[in-house]
Amino acid sequence: MAELKFSDLVEPVAVDQKTALRITVLGGGSFGTAMANLAVRNGCDTMIWIRDAAAAEEINQTHINKRYLPDYTLETGLRAVSDLEVAVRDRDIILVAIPSHSFRDVLKQIAPFITAQAVVSLTKGIEAKTFSFMSDIIRAELPEVPYGVLSGPNLAKEIMAGMPSGTVIASESELVRYAVQHALHSALFRVFGSDDVHGVELGGALKNIYAVAMGMGAAYNIGENTKSMILTRALAEMSRFAVKQGANPLTFLGLSGVGDLFATCNSPLSRNYQIGYALGSGKTLVEATKALGQTAEGINTIVQVRAKAQELDVYMPITNALYEVIFENAPPMTIALSLMKNGHRSDVEFVLPHHEV
């Protein structure tokens, strides 16, 4: 098998051509592990970096990520490492699957080892306090690197089980888009391209808000009519907010928008759905987070997006209602009532004149 370096990809590469790109995934959570496993299957020289040396060694010995994907056997060619320099130096693509609150810190740590690598975010979230997207953080901490973001309806356990799935690689660089497609695209995992980086990121981050709402609604056994209204009005909120951030509203008709929204809001596998269900079942936020045992990006996103929406004067009733329920002890019925206000709004954003309220 011929070795292929990222710097050699000067022409678009057919995604069914298998050559040995050197891929590193930073972060040993469920999605990062699933992407690393895909890359190995695609013939890539793949490593996954995990902070805990014992956990990395356990994966190398057992080929199982016992904490996050205990029911699935990983490809034997996947190597887990705990040394960050070993993981990053002389690689082609760095896929960063680190929670948003640690994302910047990890990029600062890898900066001394970055030369010509492309850096691609797999993280769906917004940095607290700064309201920075992951692509903003990459540009700030690694200003010279080619970069992109990967987002879509990608529940890790379904990918590991071999169920057909798709995702979106967004980058202003055609080279980055083709390289990531080359590394991850397969018969059962389709990788689409986009150049709307912020639109794709916003889809991945914002949908977590509404997954919390849907999980909370499931605890109250809401009907199909109500679920459908939450989904469609969530899409309206997302596109209103995204346009204020300079994104293309049409991006939200794709996999990273409505596709990810639907998957996350309808799956009990979603962490944000699970934490919403726990909250709707009467648990406190602390209890719900402890029971989940993983980060639910949606809680931080609710706080950040609500503040930014107020600053930008964007109408986001579901987000506001969720904030009031979670942080101000409002009754969960507040969310349902928020959907019924201002009934004369346009059904589809940007279609009817803006003066409608």
Side-chain angles (χ1 to χ4, degrees):
M1 183 180 293
E3 182 174 350
L4 177 69
K5 297 182 179 180
F6 180 78
S7 56
D8 294 334
L9 291 175
V10 292
E11 295 294 335
V13 176
V15 293
D16 60 350
Q17 224 183 309
K18 300 300 182 233
T19 47
L21 277 170
R22 298 167 300 181
I23 307 296
T24 289
V25 177
L26 301 182
S30 55
F31 186 56
T33 302
M35 291 300 97
N37 205 56
L38 271 179
V40 176
R41 287 182 182 174
N42 263 9
C44 296
D45 171 1
T46 310
M47 290 193 291
I48 186 167
W49 173 77
I50 300 172
R51 292 178 191 272
D52 187 331
E57 182 58 27
E58 183 177 54
I59 287 176
N60 289 330
Q61 293 295 326
T62 66
H63 307 297
I64 295 173
N65 185 333
K66 290 185 179 178
R67 179 175 180 186
Y68 293 104
L69 293 168
D71 299 326
Y72 301 93
T73 300
L74 303 174
E75 297 291 322
T76 56
L78 177 60
R79 291 172 291 152
V81 298
S82 57
D83 185 312
L84 200 52
E85 181 176 358
V86 170
V88 173
R89 189 181 290 280
D90 298 324
R91 308 299 284 172
D92 296 307
I93 304 174
I94 311 297
L95 303 175
V96 188
I98 301 293
S100 61
H101 59 82
S102 301
F103 197 92
R104 188 183 296 271
D105 180 58
V106 169
L107 290 196
K108 286 179 182 291
Q109 291 180 55
I110 70 172
F113 316 126
I114 293 294
T115 50
Q117 301 94 317
V119 177
V120 175
S121 167
L122 306 187
T123 299
K124 298 176 179 179
I126 299 169
E127 187 179 47
K129 298 181 181 177
T130 68
F131 203 84
S132 294
F133 302 113
M134 299 306 106
S135 65
D136 297 329
I137 298 174
I138 294 172
R139 285 200 303 272
E141 301 299 335
L142 306 170
E144 302 302 319
V145 305
Y147 68 92
V149 300
L150 189 84
S151 189
N154 301 145
L155 298 166
K157 291 180 181 178
E158 292 188 4
I159 294 170
M160 292 297 298
M163 298 181 186
S165 305
T167 197
V168 180
I169 171 61
S171 177
E172 295 175 0
S173 166
E174 184 181 23
L175 185 61
V176 170
R177 296 197 299 270
Y178 272 101
V180 173
Q181 287 174 323
H182 183 78
L184 299 179
H185 187 101
S186 70
L188 295 175
F189 191 74
R190 187 166 182 183
V191 184
F192 296 86
S194 170
D195 62 0
D196 184 10
V197 175
H198 275 173
V200 168
E201 279 186 301
L202 275 166
L206 295 177
K207 56 89 186 184
N208 289 328
I209 294 173
Y210 309 104
V212 175
M214 194 68 83
M216 199 175 291
Y220 282 84
N221 199 29
I222 60 173
E224 298 304 319
N225 290 343
T226 310
K227 291 177 185 177
S228 296
M229 185 160 64
I230 291 173
L231 279 172
T232 51
R233 297 321 300 165
L235 194 61
E237 281 195 20
M238 290 167 67
S239 58
R240 276 197 301 270
F241 186 83
V243 167
K244 284 279 191 176
Q245 295 287 323
N248 184 343
L250 293 178
T251 297
F252 288 81
L253 298 179
L255 274 176
S256 63
V258 68
D260 202 3
L261 178 68
F262 181 85
T264 308
C265 286
N266 282 285
S267 174
L269 295 176
S270 158
R271 297 192 297 269
N272 295 288
Y273 182 103
Q274 289 172 7
I275 205 161
Y277 190 91
L279 290 168
S281 301
K283 288 186 170 65
T284 65
L285 181 57
V286 172
E287 290 170 340
T289 303
K290 184 177 180 180
L292 183 62
Q294 298 186 51
T295 301
E297 292 280 1
I299 301 302
N300 168 57
T301 307
I302 289 167
V303 175
Q304 302 303 315
V305 170
R306 177 178 179 268
K308 182 62 73 170
Q310 290 177 336
E311 177 187 323
L312 298 175
D313 193 27
V314 181
Y315 179 60
M316 301 189 76
I318 303 174
T319 303
N320 285 330
L322 270 172
Y323 183 91
E324 291 170 7
V325 170
I326 295 171
F327 297 103
E328 297 178 351
N329 298 314
M333 188 59 66
T334 301
I335 299 170
L337 294 175
S338 73
L339 293 168
M340 310 310 292
K341 295 178 180 177
N342 294 322
H344 296 292
R345 293 190 67 86
S346 169
D347 175 43
V348 179
E349 294 301 303
F350 316 111
V351 173
L352 291 178
H354 292 292
H355 65 262
E356 296 216 8
V357 295

